[in-house]
Amino acid sequence: MDAPLIGIEEPGSFGWRVFHERHPVMIERLCAAHPFGPDVRDALSALFEESTGGVVAPLDDDAPDHDVWNAWIADEVGKPWSQTSFLFAESYFFRKLLAATGFFSSGPWRGVDPFAPMKRAELHNAATADTLKALDALPQLDDAERDAAAVRAAVWGNQADLAFQLSTDASGTTSGLVTGSPEQFWALFGEPGEVHLVADNAAGELAADLVLLDRLLTTGRAERVVLHVKPTPYYVSDATPTDVLEVLHHLVALPGEAGEIGRRVQDSLREGRIGVRSHPFFCAPKEYADIPDDLRAEFAAASVTIFKGDLNYRRLVGDRHWPATRPFADAVAHFPGPVATLRVLKSEVIVGLDADAVSALDAQGQAWRTQGSHALIQTRR
């Protein structure tokens, strides 16, 4: 039996705070970062009002994805936003935000990523520079240590989530993994094949993902890797094909190990050993149990699929009030192949923990599910 969907209706709940506290801050930052005219600013204000006190209205643009989105939202149009699921509401909010900023319209903002200034600032900030400089220590590590370092970087790189930072001080402190280990992650890999990685955020996290992809190729655990990114800007900092190029160009220009990794990744792209995909479903307001047949076939053929980040986790296990002790294997039984998740906890849903771990975490008296201080590694063959 399915658990209840996580919603946005209850005042003070995590989903409610995203819409009533995080989104207005994000809109304010967008308007500060771009010289939007009154038409765009009014459209953003109207979207905020609709999403916090109105009903779900259909799209009124003629974007290339208009028809597919209309099919995805057909059962929700006319409902109060407050009565929709958190997953649907948040996804649809960002699709409508793109239209509000003129991303799909003829005019000066057509095709302009409204979140690009935030992503670029994160890629070039001091914390990211320090992290990339730390890669210089990798050649001094033995193979097992380097394996573990690559996975830890990919896990904790997910903490650099710009949407998350809009509602937290994002101090960078970490309390460790609530379950899993780098060794558990690497144990999933057997005969080399095609490995897929479904990315989450751009900038520093995407750089860490490229380090992991490079490790998969250089150790022979993968013959080829496929990097899945969003086809359009999404959730503030989610990675798009443009972000892949920007991060790669940044890495290649750096000295030391970061530059070496960047050049290997660049060569692998040219040789076809790394492919980049941007399927429309990665922006869908739906769970991965509903993936279309063409994408399901890709994942079924993969030797391992790696899902990065919080949103991918929510879509993979179902964004519902599951018992935290529900087995991870049960939650991902719908998925057609071996799967790994690397995630910093930033929302309520979680599965795959033992009862003692849940009790110990709850006893700390902190919002450990949502504050970005804990992480997990979970796998299923």
Side-chain angles (χ1 to χ4, degrees):
M1 180 181 296
D2 283 339
L5 290 164
I6 293 174
I8 62 171
E9 183 173 19
E10 183 181 351
S13 67
F14 183 76
W16 184 92
R17 294 199 309 272
V18 166
F19 274 77
H20 291 263
E21 299 174 4
R22 181 185 295 179
H23 286 176
V25 174
M26 177 186 62
I27 290 171
E28 181 180 342
R29 291 191 182 180
L30 286 179
C31 291
H34 300 280
F36 290 142
D39 54 339
V40 173
R41 296 198 303 271
D42 289 348
L44 290 170
S45 295
L47 174 59
F48 175 70
E49 294 299 325
E50 177 192 323
S51 64
T52 54
V55 299
V56 176
L59 296 173
D60 58 2
D61 56 64
D62 58 356
D65 64 357
H66 180 97
D67 290 344
V68 69
W69 266 98
N70 272 348
W72 287 335
I73 68 173
D75 293 338
E76 307 294 339
V77 170
K79 288 184 183 178
W81 279 75
S82 61
Q83 294 179 18
T84 64
S85 72
F86 183 29
L87 178 63
F88 169 84
E90 200 173 16
S91 296
Y92 193 42
F93 175 89
F94 279 99
R95 170 57 180 81
K96 297 199 82 171
L97 183 145
L98 276 191
T101 63
F103 185 86
F104 302 109
S105 305
S106 59
W109 306 113
R110 183 176 180 85
V112 173
D113 182 348
F115 310 118
M118 302 181 199
K119 296 177 185 177
R120 193 169 297 118
E122 199 270 323
L123 179 61
H124 294 275
N125 70 18
T128 300
D130 289 344
T131 298
L132 295 177
K133 178 63 177 174
L135 295 176
D136 287 342
L138 290 179
Q140 282 72 54
L141 303 178
D142 64 32
D143 285 344
E145 292 170 334
R146 188 156 183 167
D147 282 347
V151 176
R152 285 196 298 269
V155 171
W156 291 109
N158 182 239
Q159 199 172 42
D161 179 335
L162 297 175
F164 176 72
Q165 292 176 26
L166 294 174
S167 59
T168 178
D169 63 9
S171 63
T173 57
T174 61
S175 298
L177 296 172
V178 298
T179 187
S181 67
E183 292 76 18
Q184 177 184 334
F185 173 83
W186 289 117
L188 195 60
F189 295 84
E191 289 296 317
E194 185 171 88
V195 175
H196 290 230
L197 187 146
V198 183
D200 189 23
N201 297 306
E205 178 175 358
L206 184 56
D209 293 343
L210 296 181
V211 172
L212 181 60
L213 296 188
D214 177 66
R215 188 65 181 164
L216 284 162
L217 290 171
T218 57
T219 60
R221 290 184 172 98
E223 292 181 338
R224 184 173 184 270
V225 295
V226 177
L227 176 65
H228 295 272
V229 294
K230 304 296 192 301
T232 57
Y234 201 58
Y235 277 68
V236 184
S237 55
D238 281 27
T240 67
T242 299
D243 296 316
V244 175
L245 292 177
E246 182 151 355
V247 170
L248 183 58
H249 290 156
H250 182 65
L251 288 178
V252 169
L254 292 175
E257 186 66 10
E260 292 293 330
I261 291 171
R263 285 183 284 276
R264 286 198 298 269
V265 169
Q266 183 173 258
D267 289 344
S268 294
L269 280 161
R270 287 172 172 157
E271 296 163 0
R273 299 183 70 213
I274 296 178
V276 179
R277 300 277 192 276
S278 55
H279 195 286
F281 188 77
F282 288 116
C283 290
K286 291 182 172 291
E287 298 174 355
Y288 284 135
D290 299 319
I291 54 176
D293 291 343
D294 59 338
L295 193 55
R296 177 174 291 275
E298 284 196 52
F299 289 143
S303 60
V304 177
T305 299
I306 305 162
F307 285 95
K308 286 295 308 296
D310 202 75
L311 175 59
N312 281 322
Y313 188 89
R314 289 163 58 192
R315 297 181 72 188
L316 181 65
V317 306
D319 200 33
R320 298 169 180 267
H321 292 287
W322 300 116
T325 53
R326 185 188 190 204
F328 177 72
D330 288 355
V332 300
H334 62 86
F335 194 75
V339 62
T341 60
L342 308 177
R343 173 210 183 195
V344 170
L345 278 58
K346 304 171 194 167
S347 63
E348 293 170 317
V349 66
I350 192 168
V351 298
L353 302 187
D354 63 52
D356 289 343
V358 176
S359 296
L361 289 162
D362 286 342
Q364 295 175 6
Q366 300 174 338
W368 58 272
R369 294 176 183 239
T370 59
Q371 67 183 8
S373 60
H374 295 73
L376 60 76
I377 298 170
Q378 291 176 319
T379 63
R380 188 218 62 190
R381 290 189 179 278

